[in-house]
Amino acid sequence: MTFTRYVALGDSFTEGVGDDAPQLPNGVRGWADRVAEALDDAYGGVEYANLAIRGLKLRPIVVRQVPSALAMKPDLVSIHAGGNDILRPRVDLDDLLTYYDDAVARLTESGATVVLFTPHDPAEAPLIRRLRGRFAIFAEGIREIADRRGAVLVDYWRIRDYDDPRMWAFDRLHMSPAGHQRMAIAVLDALGVPHDLAPLELPDMPARSRRDDLRWTRGFLAPWLGRRLRGVSSGDTLAPRYGEPTAVATITTG
């Protein structure tokens, strides 16, 4: 199987947050860009759209992005959604998964190959580990959707490389460049796409200090909680990074 048009849907995970690239749209790169580049290397002439926006919950992703993606007639779609819903004080996981299942059905029925992701196991995540039960239930629901709809599954929960703190950005919520590289490898391997991507070399293991925790609290946690209280998102003013199918060969990755 070869692919000629790839559309990436979702939230900050797919937008590329944590993998800074000031020269690119929204100032990030991410695993989806890496996948698009590998697809172009393998098959040539690949077009790529990335509609993901940080902070979006599942329903807005489906309402805003799925129809746009279908109109582009892709042969490959990836979608990651639900993480921002699980972080809210209240969430109906059964309702969320039912809604997600319907969206995935629409995508697979178009004839596109669809890639789904379980959430990461947050056992080592200081901000969200108390919600591990929610994440585990949602992960199993995603596995069932992938089975039912014939989607390709990347089981993020079971990739234990992400237990390493060096796979995470300063905010401890999004992947670092090494984390995005590892995810690109996982996606390409799940699709059976030939590639030459290798894990990035990791720096020495950092020794976390109280000063680091204070810097994280001031630099990320306090602003993040403030946005939640105000009902705003860091993605409210952003447009999709590549809102229309774009020839991968014209994208400067840097």
Side-chain angles (χ1 to χ4, degrees):
M1 182 178 295
T2 62
F3 302 105
T4 60
R5 179 171 289 180
Y6 168 39
V7 179
L9 312 179
D11 49 28
S12 57
F13 171 84
T14 301
E15 186 187 349
V17 175
D19 186 17
D20 294 342
Q23 77 280 13
L24 294 178
N26 296 357
V28 294
R29 185 183 179 197
W31 65 266
D33 283 25
R34 289 168 160 82
V35 166
E37 293 155 18
L39 291 172
D40 194 59
D41 287 343
Y43 308 124
V46 172
E47 293 182 321
Y48 167 54
N50 189 325
L51 308 184
I53 295 288
R54 65 194 73 180
L56 286 185
K57 294 196 288 185
L58 190 148
R59 287 179 183 268
I61 289 171
V62 171
V63 170
R64 301 179 194 177
Q65 298 177 18
V66 169
S68 296
L70 291 172
M72 295 176 190
K73 301 187 182 304
D75 48 23
L76 176 62
V77 177
S78 65
I79 181 168
H80 177 282
N84 289 310
D85 299 79
I86 296 173
L87 294 176
R88 294 313 194 264
R90 295 182 181 179
V91 60
D92 184 331
L93 292 176
D94 291 329
D95 179 67
L96 199 65
L97 287 163
T98 297
Y99 193 82
Y100 203 9
D101 181 50
D102 178 69
V104 174
R106 290 160 58 194
L107 292 168
T108 56
E109 288 167 3
S110 75
T113 296
V114 178
V115 180
L116 299 180
F117 304 82
T118 64
H120 171 252
D121 179 358
E124 303 300 322
L127 182 61
I128 58 176
R129 59 187 166 206
R130 63 185 179 83
L131 300 176
R132 191 184 188 202
R134 287 186 182 181
F135 279 85
I137 293 169
F138 193 70
E140 186 57 27
I142 296 297
R143 295 183 189 109
E144 291 177 359
I145 291 173
D147 287 344
R148 182 162 53 248
R149 302 302 177 186
V152 174
L153 179 69
V154 175
D155 203 335
Y156 192 9
W157 185 280
R158 294 174 179 170
I159 305 177
R160 303 321 308 182
D161 293 358
Y162 290 95
D163 292 341
D164 189 322
R166 293 170 294 182
M167 302 293 275
W168 299 92
F170 165 78
D171 61 16
R172 305 179 188 176
L173 190 63
H174 297 101
M175 295 181 293
S176 67
H180 280 278
Q181 179 86 349
R182 178 66 182 86
M183 187 55 60
I185 292 169
V187 172
L188 293 165
D189 288 348
L191 289 168
V193 174
H195 66 88
D196 59 4
L197 295 189
L200 299 184
E201 184 176 349
L202 296 173
D204 292 339
M205 184 70 76
R208 184 172 293 172
S209 67
R210 183 173 179 80
R211 180 176 296 179
D212 293 328
D213 290 337
L214 288 172
R215 188 180 301 115
W216 172 75
T217 299
R218 292 169 182 162
F220 171 73
L221 182 59
W224 184 82
L225 290 173
R227 289 194 298 273
R228 292 295 177 272
L229 291 173
R230 297 192 305 274
V232 300
S233 168
S234 57
D236 285 346
T237 61
L238 296 179
R241 298 184 58 237
Y242 301 105
E244 298 291 340
T246 303
V248 175
T250 68
I251 296 173
T252 302
T253 60

